[in-house]
Amino acid sequence: MTEKSATATTSSGESIRFIPVQSTLYPWLVTVFVVTFLISNINATKGVQLGPLITDGAFFLFPLAYIAGDVLSECYGFKSTRRAVYIGFVMAILAAVCFYIAIWLPAADFYEGQEAFAATLGLVPQILAASLAGYLVGQLLNSFTLTRMKAKSGERGLIGRLVASTVVGEFGDTVLFCIIAAPVIGISTFSGFLNYVVVGFVWKTLIEVVMLPITTVVIKWVKSREDYVPSS
């Protein structure tokens, strides 16, 4: 049986069928997109201080998720990207449920890491809700903005739509996350909340702008590999 064939024959001569797998980069990009989000939720439980900047252990991962989101949107369109976002959302919920079940299960007598395990993987429900809501809204806004701009301008203006979609997506992500998470981490004043939103939004947006050269290179590579036909 060849790799592209959907049929085969058993040793007894019986014909059997398999669903053929299309050769495309889409599932690889979705995997990177989803796994990055899952890892980010775990890394984010660690507070990190780099000079005057206080952030979390996932700060270096989120650009990868947004690069993957931009590539998916630019190359495969809104519907395909929305599917990837929904997959990531559901998988994050599944991971959280599995973590809670594992924490709830009685620890073996010889296991001494229960408290550390629970502290690391026992995500605070409100923080988890903030992360999921911010991810869902931010990524959908990012993809919708990018694809709508592409529908109007065609292939021209890639950098412009990448920047604009980043601003819209990151703003929605950051504001929603901060609204839900701020009370949990002790932010009780409007000035503190505003600082939390502005710093997070500016930091994330700047990082994505810095990463634009990589994003554009990946987009061009994916298009060349996928026999991409430019829109008129």
Side-chain angles (χ1 to χ4, degrees):
M1 181 182 73
T2 64
E3 185 174 316
K4 294 184 179 180
S5 175
T7 62
T9 305
T10 66
S11 57
S12 61
E14 180 184 357
S15 179
I16 56 176
R17 292 181 59 83
F18 296 101
I19 299 174
V21 177
Q22 301 297 321
S23 178
T24 174
L25 295 171
Y26 178 75
W28 292 95
L29 289 167
V30 173
T31 300
V32 171
F33 186 69
V34 173
V35 171
T36 300
F37 179 55
L38 294 178
I39 297 174
S40 295
N41 278 336
I42 299 174
N43 277 25
T45 60
K46 177 179 179 177
V48 173
Q49 183 165 357
L50 302 172
L53 177 66
I54 297 178
T55 181
D56 58 58
F59 79 94
F60 63 92
L61 279 171
F62 81 86
L64 182 59
Y66 266 88
I67 288 175
D70 285 341
V71 174
L72 285 167
S73 299
E74 173 67 22
C75 298
Y76 300 97
F78 180 70
K79 289 184 178 180
S80 295
T81 306
R82 182 177 60 190
R83 184 184 304 121
V85 173
Y86 289 162
I87 291 172
F89 185 80
V90 172
M91 291 301 100
I93 293 176
L94 175 61
V97 170
C98 291
F99 293 155
Y100 285 130
I101 291 174
I103 292 169
W104 171 77
L105 291 172
D109 293 338
F110 59 83
Y111 183 68
E112 299 179 355
Q114 175 65 17
E115 291 185 5
F117 183 85
T120 301
L121 298 179
L123 304 174
V124 177
Q126 201 161 339
I127 296 295
L128 176 63
S131 176
L132 289 172
Y135 161 84
L136 183 66
V137 172
Q139 290 288 359
L140 290 177
L141 283 175
N142 180 76
S143 179
F144 180 78
T145 302
L146 191 152
T147 52
R148 289 292 292 179
M149 291 182 68
K150 184 175 182 178
K152 293 181 178 181
S153 64
E155 297 299 313
R156 302 182 307 276
L158 173 60
I159 297 297
R161 60 179 172 266
L162 287 175
V163 172
S165 63
T166 290
V167 170
V168 174
E170 289 291 7
F171 183 76
D173 185 338
T174 305
V175 170
L176 191 54
F177 178 87
C178 293
I179 288 175
I180 300 174
V184 179
I185 63 176
I187 296 177
S188 57
T189 65
F190 179 74
S191 60
F193 172 78
L194 190 62
N195 180 72
Y196 188 37
V197 172
V198 171
V199 171
F201 169 71
V202 172
W203 167 252
K204 292 177 180 179
T205 303
L206 284 177
I207 290 295
E208 283 217 55
V209 170
V210 171
M211 299 292 287
L212 277 177
I214 297 177
T215 306
T216 56
V217 167
V218 174
I219 286 173
K220 291 178 181 178
W221 179 74
V222 171
K223 287 180 177 180
S224 67
R225 286 289 302 272
E226 297 285 48
D227 295 325
Y228 179 76
V229 179
S231 59
S232 57

